[in-house]
Amino acid sequence: MSMTYLLWAALLALAALAGLGAAWWGRSRFVRGRRALLAVAVFLAVGAAGGYLAHGPVAEMLAKSRLAAATARADDVFRTDGLLRALQQAEPERAGALHARLALALAAATDGEVLAVEQSLRADALREALAASFSRLPNASDEAAARLAQALLNALKALQDRDSLLCLGLLHPASAANAALTQDALARLEGSVRRDLESALALTLASSVIRPRSAPLPSKADAALADMFIENLPEFQQAYGNSKQVGALFEALAEPEQARSIAPETLCAFAQDLLRALLRMPPAERGPGLRRLLGAG
């Protein structure tokens, strides 16, 4: 910004010198009144021409200055926000796109709009982190899997009390068809429910990169999940119908297209019961089971 002021000051000085030069040139040619008019005319002409020619470079300089300041602010936001920092570590391309959008939005925003721009970016980042966490969960820690499952359970309970349809947004965050539902679902989460979800997502992303684990062996994890399913099948059948109907609910949790064919309140309730059953598994089996089943989604 100081360079801009210097440029305009130099232009003003040049116009003034041009006016004085014109007055000096006309000292023996014109009377005093005409010399003054000539000086003013030259001053205005040089100033106008210089301003027109300098407008492009000045505008470009201002734009670069605003973008540099906005980029620095975006760097600070990503450095101080735990979820954004974890997303940047685990998914640099996703985070890079968000960072670029934030910098451009901040550069175009007024001082009064900055907070809203950053809040909007954090909302987009939460949606991206949710989808990324499901895909990276097989390589995350068992603790991260358990915390994510508990956070999802709490979030589903909170959403069911408001609108069960929004549960689809949490269950299938990577589905393009459910993008609006995911956005609305996350926007409805408040207080500790939202904070716990953000913390669990950050842990999932970070643990999948800093100390990644091998994906659970399908044979072992599937055997443990089968035991869990057999143990809880009577309870599932009592609440949701016969084995075929329960199987349809499992398919709906795995496939976004199937989810639309199930009543939202039923699917949301079943997802919560399934998460509770997974969290009740023995500790040695719970982590691999959660990483295997939730990571598949």
Side-chain angles (χ1 to χ4, degrees):
M1 189 66 72
S2 59
M3 288 295 296
T4 304
Y5 290 141
L6 288 175
L7 181 59
W8 286 116
L11 179 60
L12 180 62
L14 178 63
L17 287 174
L20 290 173
W24 178 263
W25 174 80
R27 71 188 187 284
S28 60
R29 293 175 175 81
F30 304 105
V31 297
R32 180 178 300 177
R34 289 189 177 183
R35 288 203 308 271
L37 288 175
L38 176 64
V40 171
V42 170
F43 172 81
L44 293 176
V46 172
Y52 176 79
L53 294 174
H55 178 268
V58 169
E60 183 179 356
M61 186 183 301
L62 285 174
K64 287 182 177 179
S65 176
R66 287 184 63 86
L67 183 58
T71 301
R73 175 56 188 166
D75 290 342
D76 187 57
V77 170
F78 271 74
R79 184 173 58 254
T80 57
D81 188 288
L83 182 59
L84 290 173
R85 188 167 59 248
L87 184 63
Q88 197 168 38
Q89 291 174 334
E91 297 284 340
E93 289 188 5
R94 288 180 190 251
L98 289 172
H99 184 283
R101 281 169 46 196
L102 176 60
L104 290 174
L106 288 174
T110 63
D111 291 343
E113 296 170 337
V114 168
L115 182 59
V117 167
E118 292 181 0
Q119 289 177 339
S120 176
L121 182 280
R122 285 188 168 92
D124 291 342
L126 183 57
R127 186 180 69 250
E128 294 282 355
L130 182 61
S133 291
F134 276 118
S135 65
R136 301 190 69 89
L137 189 58
N139 300 113
S141 67
D142 290 348
E143 178 190 359
R147 285 183 57 180
L148 180 57
Q150 186 62 59
L152 284 173
L153 175 58
N154 295 339
L156 289 171
K157 288 194 303 187
L159 291 176
Q160 189 174 34
D161 294 338
R162 296 187 174 189
D163 186 351
S164 297
L165 183 60
L166 295 176
C167 293
L168 293 180
L170 290 189
L171 296 174
H172 298 293
S175 169
N178 290 334
L181 286 177
T182 303
Q183 187 85 1
D184 291 344
L186 294 173
R188 299 286 186 93
L189 299 180
E190 300 173 340
S192 62
V193 174
R194 185 183 184 90
R195 289 193 299 272
D196 289 347
L197 179 60
E198 290 177 347
S199 177
L201 293 174
L203 178 61
T204 299
L205 292 171
S207 68
S208 71
V209 174
I210 298 173
R211 302 179 70 178
R213 300 194 59 176
S214 299
L217 293 174
S219 56
K220 288 179 128 183
D222 289 351
L225 290 171
D227 291 341
M228 179 277 295
F229 179 73
I230 292 172
E231 180 182 345
N232 290 275
L233 183 57
E235 181 181 337
F236 290 157
Q237 288 179 325
Q238 184 177 2
Y240 304 105
N242 57 38
S243 299
K244 185 177 180 180
Q245 291 171 308
V246 173
L249 291 173
F250 267 103
E251 290 181 8
L253 290 179
E255 298 293 336
E257 295 77 11
Q258 298 291 331
R260 296 282 182 171
S261 64
I262 306 294
E265 59 274 12
T266 301
L267 188 60
C268 191
F270 178 70
Q272 293 175 60
D273 287 340
L274 179 59
L275 286 171
R276 292 189 187 96
L278 288 165
L279 289 168
R280 288 196 300 266
M281 294 174 69
E285 300 174 351
R286 179 177 58 207
L290 285 167
R291 292 192 291 129
R292 170 72 172 160
L293 189 60
L294 298 183

